[in-house]
Amino acid sequence: MNALRFLRNFKLFGLALGLIVALTIVLAGCQGQSASEGKQTTMNTSNSSGGGSGTGGGITSETELRLSSKGLPGSVAAPAANSARLSESPSEASMDQTPLYTFGIIYPMAHPFYEEITRLTEEAASPERVRLVVKAPEVVNLEQQIHMMETMIQQKVDAIAISPIDSSALGPVIDKAVQAGIPVICFESDVPNSKRSSYIGTDNVDAGVQMGKIIKQMTKNKGMILVESGVQRMELHQRRLQGLLDYLRDETRIQVLEVRHNEGDSDKALTDLEAMIDAHPHFDALVSVDLISSSNSVLVWKAKGLNRYAAAFNMTPEMKESLRNGQITSVLSQNEESWGRLLIDHLLQAARGEPVPPFTDTGKVVINSSAP
């Protein structure tokens, strides 16, 4: 456990050092520049006294977090620990133009994966004269996400896109936004019983089934697996897990030894993984259902030198590197490189009062390790 904590703390130290150096460069280069020019996209991490999963409070100041690597599948990405930097970069296409629209984007947590989605969305927004306000709790925190929605309603943004933590809890707030004349789009995770305009993502039950097929092929339809999932109340994780477990039970001879939920807490994910591996040392494969599980599985693999199968959802810069290094065997991508353009297209249509497709399937792609 100490080795794993050291690895993660070393990553966090590297990230903090990178942020300090980048901030120094930005401040030196931006003296005298007007802060009001053009579009500014921010990822807010707010400090709320509300409850919710995870540990630690939010960051009280607004910072801009941008990923320095380019692209998701098929591109060479920098390690996640070095991916964030502070910057101020007004859109080149709209530096001297008033934005036509202001769109809000709310993630379930701050994570390098969402930094890359922000970069892709900014690229799509730039020629459209769109200002983006991008927010996320520092850790998974339902109360903070609801507060962010409420703030955007008060600010009267033109449209909102959200990846909701809890479908039941976010439904009334989404309806409140729509009643205030602000269309809402869900992505990644859905709130089907709300007045949201559309859902961008995939059928997450089917994604779980697809992951089951990957595991079946990996293990040649035999063996024992461990599963680490995320937030139990998050529709995304619920449905992925449902599809995976139902398929393994009905269509394979694979035994699921244990399933745990980290509830969006990275420390708990690390503890869960170590405990499951110690309790079931002869397991054959691990499935990480959420972003936090997949990140921590890489730490475990490095620290323990494991030679087992490991599969995860979502192609992040960290997952791409781990595929190359052989720490992850397969990743089920949802064509994340298309999300930025889809989000802007749907938000523009909704803000203009045009029809929006109720469901846009981003599709699924299996990406396997390139390690020998």
Side-chain angles (χ1 to χ4, degrees):
M1 173 69 77
N2 290 334
L4 298 178
R5 305 269 184 223
F6 174 79
L7 277 172
R8 191 168 64 210
N9 289 337
F10 185 79
K11 285 179 66 179
L12 292 173
F13 173 78
L15 175 59
L17 182 61
L19 287 172
I20 292 169
V21 172
L23 179 57
T24 303
I25 294 171
V26 170
L27 290 175
C30 293
Q31 289 182 354
Q33 179 179 346
S34 171
S36 63
E37 283 186 6
K39 143 181 106 61
Q40 288 191 352
T41 303
T42 63
M43 176 173 283
N44 268 347
T45 49
S46 6
N47 191 11
S48 170
S49 61
S53 301
T55 58
I59 301 173
T60 57
S61 62
E62 287 191 0
T63 61
E64 292 194 27
L65 300 177
R66 301 187 191 276
L67 201 65
S68 58
S69 58
K70 300 292 184 182
L72 286 158
S75 64
V76 178
N82 299 320
S83 63
R85 63 183 176 86
L86 290 170
S87 66
E88 292 183 9
S89 55
S91 167
E92 294 87 348
S94 60
M95 288 185 67
D96 59 351
Q97 299 178 19
T98 302
L100 294 177
Y101 299 100
T102 297
F103 294 152
I105 299 178
I106 304 177
Y107 300 123
M109 62 180 172
H111 190 278
F113 173 73
Y114 295 117
E115 294 166 27
E116 177 66 350
I117 300 305
T118 297
R119 186 189 68 79
L120 295 168
T121 307
E122 286 178 327
E123 288 184 356
S126 179
E128 305 290 349
R129 293 175 58 188
V130 166
R131 175 177 177 264
L132 297 177
V133 180
V134 182
K135 299 192 177 189
E138 183 183 7
V139 295
V140 174
N141 187 302
L142 174 61
E143 286 76 13
Q144 287 186 17
Q145 199 179 46
I146 291 173
H147 177 71
M148 290 168 182
M149 276 287 292
E150 295 278 6
T151 299
M152 288 187 181
I153 294 170
Q154 293 172 6
Q155 293 172 342
K156 299 181 180 180
V157 299
D158 296 296
I160 299 172
I162 183 170
S163 176
I165 293 172
D166 186 326
S167 295
S168 298
L170 266 299
V173 191
I174 289 173
D175 292 348
K176 180 179 179 180
V178 174
Q179 289 165 2
I182 303 172
V184 177
I185 289 168
C186 292
F187 66 98
E188 187 179 35
S189 189
D190 196 14
V191 186
N193 295 323
S194 70
K195 295 180 179 178
R196 57 97 171 122
S197 298
S198 68
Y199 166 58
I200 299 172
T202 190
D203 181 330
N204 284 302
V205 172
D206 187 63
V209 170
Q210 182 66 44
M211 180 59 77
K213 293 178 179 178
I214 293 170
I215 297 299
K216 181 179 181 180
Q217 183 177 14
M218 275 182 189
T219 63
K220 298 179 174 58
N221 196 23
K222 61 182 180 181
M224 301 171 288
I225 74 165
L226 303 173
V227 180
E228 177 74 6
S229 187
V231 181
Q232 291 192 66
R233 63 180 181 269
M234 192 169 183
E235 187 259 4
L236 165 66
H237 301 153
Q238 289 175 350
R239 292 175 66 79
R240 280 180 181 174
L241 188 60
Q242 175 191 339
L244 170 66
L245 297 180
D246 287 352
Y247 178 82
L248 293 176
R249 182 194 64 226
D250 298 337
E251 304 293 338
T252 76
R253 296 193 298 273
I254 296 168
Q255 180 185 1
V256 178
L257 294 171
E258 191 171 357
V259 178
R260 293 199 181 195
H261 302 267
N262 59 56
E263 299 301 339
D265 186 330
S266 188
D267 284 342
K268 186 175 187 307
L270 196 61
T271 301
D272 284 351
L273 290 168
E274 185 177 62
M276 288 194 293
I277 291 169
D278 289 346
H280 310 284
H282 302 298
F283 78 101
D284 298 292
L286 168 71
V287 178
S288 299
V289 174
D290 69 306
L291 293 167
I292 290 177
S293 299
S294 58
S295 293
N296 281 281
S297 71
V298 173
L299 287 176
V300 171
W301 254 237
K302 288 178 179 178
K304 291 183 173 289
L306 293 173
N307 185 22
R308 314 289 174 86
Y309 297 115
F313 290 86
N314 295 116
M315 179 57 73
T316 68
E318 184 178 24
M319 288 300 99
K320 185 169 182 62
E321 181 189 15
S322 299
L323 281 166
R324 288 197 303 266
N325 295 338
Q327 286 131 2
I328 295 291
T329 314
S330 291
V331 172
L332 185 59
S333 167
Q334 298 179 51
N335 292 304
E336 291 87 355
E337 73 279 6
S338 69
W339 287 16
R341 180 73 263 171
L342 287 171
L343 283 170
I344 292 302
D345 285 347
H346 282 58
L347 288 168
L348 282 170
Q349 290 171 342
R352 292 167 180 163
E354 300 170 358
V356 183
F359 172 49
T360 298
D361 191 345
T362 59
K364 295 177 285 293
V365 179
V366 180
I367 304 171
N368 294 316
S369 172
S370 58

